[in-house]
Amino acid sequence: MLPDDIKLYLPKFLSDDDSKELQRAVSAMLAGTPRSYYTNRLTQDPILYQGDGIINLPYLELPRVEIKDVNAMVLSNTCDVDPENPRDFPQRVLYAPIMSLAKYRAGVLGTTGKTGEQVDAHLEAIRQQHITQVFYLPPYPGKMEESLVYMDRIVNIGNSNIDRATLPDQRIFTLSDFGAWLFVLKLSIHFSRVQDKVARGSD
Amino acid sequence: MKANNYTVTAGSALNAVVVASLLSGTALASENQTLWPAYQPAITAQHTLAAAPTLGTSASTSTEIVVDHGTAQLANMAKLAAKIVDQSRGVDAEIGAAVEENFFDWI
């Protein structure tokens, strides 16, 4: 790959410092010592960012019809749900529920025959981002304990139901450059495996 | 109204996973099963490539090793993407069944 081509594959909007920080975070993850996934820089922005954690969004699992309010992570692309971008028809916001890892551990331990060691090995795989449909969220001190998101439990809501004026108060976290890159990587793996080993034919 | 464009990160990550998936394959395995051999691509340097010759010019055949910031950057991102893709697996069947049954009550 030529150097000019390489630039096509790197985020173009980052400052030199941010770009270097992203690289440090990538290197740290490779070394097994991941950095924080979160940023404080955008906390007060009235913009709903992809990967944001939001409180009190309705959650349901069809065909079950009960609804409960949960903390949830936004999967929609930032641009798609930005009201500043004109649309021919309103976009809906996709999100999936956030569950604390402690609750998840207790639930799995209480409903399976797995030992504590086996469940902890499963949780470690989640922390390493090795489980295809799960995105791991490290603890965010003062805001959120370590948690997970099952990306196959997506719900949608009308964009206008998320009030941008009060968004800073509803937001638990916004992902950093590294966190956002990793999140989209996991979304891509979950939804877009190019070689799914299925010969579909063309006839 | 201002039109915002936030698509570049997504594009970069998707490109990385496309590169990783093309390098290593991305079939889904369970926690107890690996469907492809472990493969860790090591990208350490890039050689300049010979430019396609055009009439009246000679092609460059330099083999000088070029390692710039962007190359190292992409190599690391591709390496991490490949590592995650390589080790991706589904949820163990027993845990999966428990999650399916109880997730709504746990949350």
Side-chain angles (χ1 to χ4, degrees):
Chain A
M1 191 179 291
L2 295 169
D4 282 348
D5 295 333
I6 286 168
K7 289 173 187 165
L8 296 174
Y9 294 88
L10 297 172
K12 298 170 182 64
F13 53 88
L14 297 181
S15 68
D16 273 357
D17 283 350
D18 286 344
S19 182
K20 284 173 186 165
E21 184 52 39
L22 172 61
Q23 287 318 302
R24 279 192 284 268
V26 169
S27 299
M29 180 95 179
L30 277 169
T33 53
R35 297 187 174 206
S36 171
Y37 289 12
Y38 312 109
T39 181
N40 292 318
R41 192 184 295 177
L42 307 172
T43 306
Q44 294 306 315
D45 274 13
I47 296 173
L48 187 63
Y49 293 103
Q50 184 174 45
D52 273 4
I54 306 291
I55 62 170
N56 292 335
L57 288 176
Y59 175 64
L60 81 166
E61 289 179 352
L62 294 172
R64 192 172 177 159
V65 293
E66 292 165 75
I67 296 176
K68 62 165 70 170
D69 286 342
V70 301
N71 295 339
M73 188 176 194
V74 174
L75 277 70
S76 296
N77 182 271
T78 307
C79 167
D80 287 350
V81 295
D82 187 339
E84 292 283 311
N85 286 329
R87 299 282 173 195
D88 290 339
F89 54 89
Q91 288 277 332
R92 297 184 70 84
V93 178
L94 303 175
Y95 58 90
I98 297 171
M99 181 185 290
S100 90
L101 219 59
K103 273 189 185 175
Y104 180 75
R105 183 181 190 280
V108 172
L109 261 181
T111 55
T112 66
K114 299 285 184 190
T115 64
E117 290 74 22
Q118 288 171 322
V119 174
D120 287 339
H122 170 61
L123 297 189
E124 194 50 36
I126 287 174
R127 289 190 184 96
Q128 298 295 320
Q129 302 289 7
H130 291 167
I131 304 299
T132 308
Q133 70 266 52
V134 177
F135 188 70
Y136 168 70
L137 290 165
Y140 192 18
K143 302 276 182 69
M144 186 183 72
E145 57 184 314
E146 67 174 342
S147 301
L148 58 75
V149 174
Y150 263 79
M151 293 185 287
D152 57 0
R153 291 176 183 267
I154 299 173
V155 180
N156 71 79
I157 194 170
N159 201 357
S160 60
N161 289 89
I162 299 179
D163 183 358
R164 301 312 199 265
T166 59
L167 181 58
D169 298 326
Q170 311 298 314
R171 184 157 41 210
I172 309 163
F173 60 80
T174 291
L175 295 176
S176 64
D177 291 321
F178 172 67
W181 179 81
L182 190 59
F183 179 54
V184 176
L185 175 67
K186 286 295 299 270
L187 278 179
S188 304
I189 293 170
H190 182 57
F191 285 112
S192 313
R193 288 186 289 271
V194 175
Q195 298 175 349
D196 60 6
K197 298 195 176 175
V198 178
R200 295 168 190 271
S202 304
D203 46 338
Chain B
M1 251 192 302
K2 187 179 72 173
N4 293 325
N5 181 353
Y6 302 98
T7 58
V8 181
T9 298
S12 298
L14 186 56
N15 286 332
V17 78
V18 166
V19 169
S21 66
L22 290 174
L23 286 172
S24 58
T26 56
L28 176 63
S30 77
E31 282 186 308
N32 303 318
Q33 187 181 24
T34 300
L35 298 181
W36 59 85
Y39 176 63
Q40 297 289 328
I43 303 171
T44 53
Q46 295 287 332
H47 292 262
T48 52
L49 301 179
T54 54
L55 283 177
T57 65
S58 59
S60 163
T61 55
S62 167
T63 56
E64 176 190 1
I65 293 174
V66 176
V67 180
D68 67 13
H69 181 62
T71 307
Q73 212 170 329
L74 185 68
N76 257 354
M77 293 168 94
K79 193 172 174 184
L80 179 55
K83 185 178 176 183
I84 292 175
V85 166
D86 269 352
Q87 299 186 9
S88 281
R89 55 190 187 270
V91 175
D92 165 282
E94 186 182 359
I95 294 176
V99 170
E100 182 60 28
E101 182 78 13
N102 300 294
F103 188 90
F104 191 85
D105 298 321
W106 294 346
I107 202 162

